[in-house]
Amino acid sequence: MSEWWAPNSALLDSQITSLRDGGTLTESEVKELCEMAKQILHQEKNVAEVQCPVTICGDIHGQYYDLQELFRIGGPCPDSNYLFMGDYVDRGYYSLETVTLLVALKVRHPTRITILRGNHESRQ
């Protein structure tokens, strides 16, 4: 990956800690995070190569505390590899917190977390 988009690791670590503690990011921080994630995702192949062993997760649906439990059981990222199969939002009260944490982890540890698009992550 090109170096021009390289994230500020200390800032990302601080944001991830805040998100893990139930905090949120400002609108401008979320926009910046999305731009960094977009650069990473544009460079990834259509068929994901995932490092094993990997914990496979799906259908989080905004259940932030369930996501926290997945990390508690499976180990924190980047200590464990994760494959998220989509459907991060909808139904739960914490869709924004859920997807923001996953995107922040993807930007900070792009080879340790794989996020796929589910039917809830489309423009429709």
Side-chain angles (χ1 to χ4, degrees), residues 15-25 64-65 68 96-98 100-101:
Q15 291 172 334
I16 289 168
T17 298
S18 175
L19 291 165
R20 283 182 173 152
D21 291 341
T24 58
L25 304 181
Y64 176 79
Y65 294 102
Q68 293 286 52
L96 180 62
E97 293 83 353
T98 299
T100 305
L101 177 57

Side-chain angles (χ1 to χ4, degrees), residues 25-37:
L25 304 181
T26 66
E27 183 178 345
S28 62
E29 289 173 319
V30 172
K31 285 181 179 179
E32 184 177 342
L33 188 63
C34 288
E35 285 301 317
M36 289 186 284

Side-chain angles (χ1 to χ4, degrees), residues 1 5-17 20 33 36-37 40-41 44 49-51 71 75-84 100-115:
M1 292 187 197
W5 67 267
N8 178 333
S9 298
L11 176 61
L12 269 173
D13 287 343
S14 171
Q15 291 172 334
I16 289 168
T17 298
R20 283 182 173 152
L33 188 63
M36 289 186 284
I40 293 168
L41 296 172
E44 289 186 344
E49 296 179 17
V50 180
Q51 297 177 22
F71 287 131
C77 183
D79 296 343
S80 299
N81 296 312
Y82 285 92
L83 170 61
F84 287 92
T100 305
L101 177 57
L102 289 173
V103 171
L105 288 169
K106 176 63 179 178
V107 170
R108 180 65 177 94
H109 309 289
T111 62
R112 302 294 289 206
I113 185 167
T114 302
I115 54 175

Side-chain angles (χ1 to χ4, degrees), residues 65-76:
Y65 294 102
D66 290 350
L67 176 63
Q68 293 286 52
E69 185 70 3
L70 285 171
F71 287 131
R72 189 189 69 73
I73 293 169

